[in-house]
């Protein structure tokens, strides 16, 4: 794309337009300046709300992929790429899943997480190469993240993923009607111009973070990784998480600290199993049998156990 055409394309993006509410922010006192940011941030949740049906579609696609042994693979540049990597790396400790189940790739590689590697995003072939490097297949879901909707690296990743038969999702912060490539689901919140023109780490970044939170969290809920509203497959990688695990067992099973600690030890650190033991006084073997028979859903396992006890 020649420079003039690129200039014209960027000029038409919502994310590159000026915000009339912050035109005088360089002359405002501190309180007024932060108030402008706060007022603009309030618009983000409403923009995301309009996209809930599309987010739900994405969750269904991702959940089915997980059930079939597939992965969720994020591809993005700059802030978008960093948010994808962040969401991916949080899934194993939160939900106890394999690190390869949700993966994130950022244009420029992992050094771009801490040092801007801006030029890398300008090449579709780099996105395609990263998809190939991950050996994406028809089992996987590729989610491109691009506030502007036109980032070449992301477009290249989406195109290559579609060639390989993978399901594709895109998260952009410009209108759906302007999308210029095919995907299975397009999630397009439009939170409006940034307080600082073009700085998409602001409202666009916040909208993106909210959406990625929903996609992975609700998918994990639908896999049985949550009991009521508590994480029950979390990994205990530090003392804080060990104590959080005990508290979850205490609340879920209505037992005291010592009993929760005992059950966690019996279950060898598996919170879900420990809750079943605490609520039923059954053995590890019985707990695992019921949990496995109910595809990892603790509530279903407990209901099945109660039904058997009433016979």
């Amino acid at each position: 794309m020649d420079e003039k055409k690129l200039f014209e394309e960027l000029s038409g993006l919502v994310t590159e337009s000026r915000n009339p509410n912050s035109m005088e922010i360089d002359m405002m006192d501190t309180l007024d300046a932060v108030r402008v940011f706060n007022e603009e941030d309030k618009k983000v949740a409403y923009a995301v709300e309009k996209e809930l049906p599309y987010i739900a579609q994405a969750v269904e696609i991702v959940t089915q992929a997980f059930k079939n042994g597939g992965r969720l693979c994020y591809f993005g540049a700059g802030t978008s790429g960093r948010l994808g990597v962040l969401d991916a790396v949080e899934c194993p400790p939160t939900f106890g899943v394999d690190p390869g189940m949700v993966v994130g790739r950022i244009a420029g590689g992992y050094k771009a997480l801490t040092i801007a590697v801006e030029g890398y995003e300008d090449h579709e072939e780099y996105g395609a190469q990263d998809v190939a490097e991950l050996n994406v297949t028809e089992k996987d879901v590729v989610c491109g993240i691009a506030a502007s909707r036109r980032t070449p690296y992301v477009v290249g990743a989406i195109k290559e993923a579609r060639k390989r038969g993978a399901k594709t999702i895109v998260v952009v912060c410009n209108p759906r009607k302007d999308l210029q490539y095919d995907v299975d689901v397009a999630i397009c919140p439009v939170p409006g111009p940034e307080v600082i023109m073009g700085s998409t780490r602001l409202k666009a970044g916040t909208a993106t973070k909210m959406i990625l939170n929903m996609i992975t969290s609700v998918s994990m809920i639908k896999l049985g990784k949550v009991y009521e509203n508590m994480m029950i497959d979390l990994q205990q990688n530090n003392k804080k998480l060990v104590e959080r695990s005990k508290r979850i067992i205490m609340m879920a099973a209505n037992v005291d600290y010592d009993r929760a600690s005992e059950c966690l030890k019996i279950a060898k650190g598996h919170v879900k199993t420990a809750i079943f033991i605490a609520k039923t006084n059954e053995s590890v073997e019985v707990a695992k049998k019921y949990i496995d028979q109910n595809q990892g859903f603790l509530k279903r396992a407990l209901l099945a156990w109660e039904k058997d006890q009433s016979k």
Side-chain angles (χ1 to χ4, degrees):
M1 182 181 293
D2 63 44
E3 292 178 356
K4 187 174 181 180
K5 187 175 180 181
L6 175 59
F7 176 83
E8 291 172 351
E9 183 178 11
L10 291 173
S11 298
L13 296 172
V14 173
T15 45
E16 294 292 329
S17 57
R18 294 187 72 182
N19 190 322
N21 298 322
S22 59
M23 297 285 278
E24 304 296 328
I25 201 166
D26 59 335
M27 297 299 290
M28 291 180 185
D29 64 31
T30 303
L31 179 58
D32 286 339
V34 296
R35 184 175 285 116
V36 169
F37 274 87
N38 182 240
E39 289 301 317
E40 290 298 312
D41 283 342
K42 291 176 183 178
K43 300 173 183 178
V44 176
Y46 292 110
V48 172
E49 181 180 24
K50 294 177 181 178
E51 294 299 298
L52 292 180
Y54 299 100
I55 298 170
Q57 289 178 33
V59 168
E60 293 292 344
I61 288 173
V62 171
T63 302
Q64 193 59 49
F66 287 158
K67 289 180 178 178
N68 292 335
R71 301 168 294 174
L72 170 60
C73 307
Y74 290 127
F75 290 85
T79 296
S80 296
R82 294 181 189 101
L83 289 170
V85 173
L86 173 63
D87 194 63
V89 300
E90 290 289 352
C91 286
T94 305
F95 301 111
V97 298
D98 186 276
M101 190 170 170
V102 182
V103 295
R105 288 292 181 269
I106 180 172
Y110 284 110
K111 66 180 180 180
L113 291 172
T114 56
I115 301 173
V117 186
E118 302 296 351
Y120 203 94
E121 71 176 65
D122 292 332
H123 302 273
E124 285 192 18
E125 63 268 27
Y126 292 163
Q129 287 171 13
D130 283 356
V131 168
E133 184 181 295
L134 271 180
N135 194 28
V136 167
T137 73
E138 68 279 357
K139 286 186 174 182
D140 299 321
V141 178
V142 165
C143 179
I145 312 169
S148 69
R149 62 94 174 131
R150 49 129 342 249
T151 307
Y153 172 84
V154 174
V155 174
I158 291 289
K159 289 180 178 178
E160 180 64 23
R162 290 184 70 81
K163 287 181 185 177
R164 292 167 170 261
K167 294 287 188 182
T168 52
I169 299 165
V170 71
V171 179
V172 306
C173 292
N174 275 274
R176 182 174 287 98
K177 64 180 178 60
D178 297 332
L179 202 63
Q180 297 171 338
Y181 45 90
D182 293 328
V183 291
D184 292 289
V185 180
I187 302 170
C188 305
V190 185
E194 299 290 1
V195 174
I196 301 172
M197 189 183 78
S199 184
T200 52
R201 69 187 181 88
L202 302 175
K203 290 194 294 183
T206 301
T208 297
K209 180 68 168 68
M210 292 171 71
I211 291 165
L212 302 190
N213 284 348
M214 287 188 234
I215 291 174
T216 46
S217 297
V218 179
S219 296
M220 295 299 175
I221 291 168
K222 293 174 74 66
L223 293 179
K225 300 292 183 181
V226 172
Y227 175 73
E228 295 177 348
N229 62 353
M230 296 178 284
M231 61 180 86
I232 53 173
D233 277 331
L234 73 161
Q235 296 175 352
Q236 292 128 57
N237 297 326
N238 57 45
K239 292 180 180 180
K240 178 192 74 175
L241 294 176
V242 172
E243 296 309 310
R244 177 184 292 168
S245 297
K246 293 174 185 176
R247 186 164 180 264
I248 289 170
I249 297 165
M250 290 171 66
M251 290 188 290
N254 194 28
V255 295
D256 63 19
Y257 181 87
D258 290 340
R259 177 59 175 161
S261 301
E262 179 187 23
C263 291
L264 188 62
K265 184 176 181 180
I266 293 170
K268 296 182 178 179
H270 192 224
V271 177
K272 185 184 293 182
T273 304
I275 293 171
F276 190 100
I277 294 168
K279 289 179 76 71
T280 65
N281 291 315
E282 293 281 11
S283 66
V284 171
E285 292 72 25
V286 171
K288 288 184 176 179
K289 182 188 78 171
Y290 276 96
I291 292 169
D292 290 345
Q293 286 176 348
N294 289 276
Q295 295 76 50
F297 284 85
L298 179 58
K299 189 166 287 186
R300 294 178 192 173
L302 290 166
L303 289 172
W305 178 84
E306 290 172 4
K307 184 177 179 180
D308 288 344
Q309 298 307 300
S310 65
K311 291 180 180 178

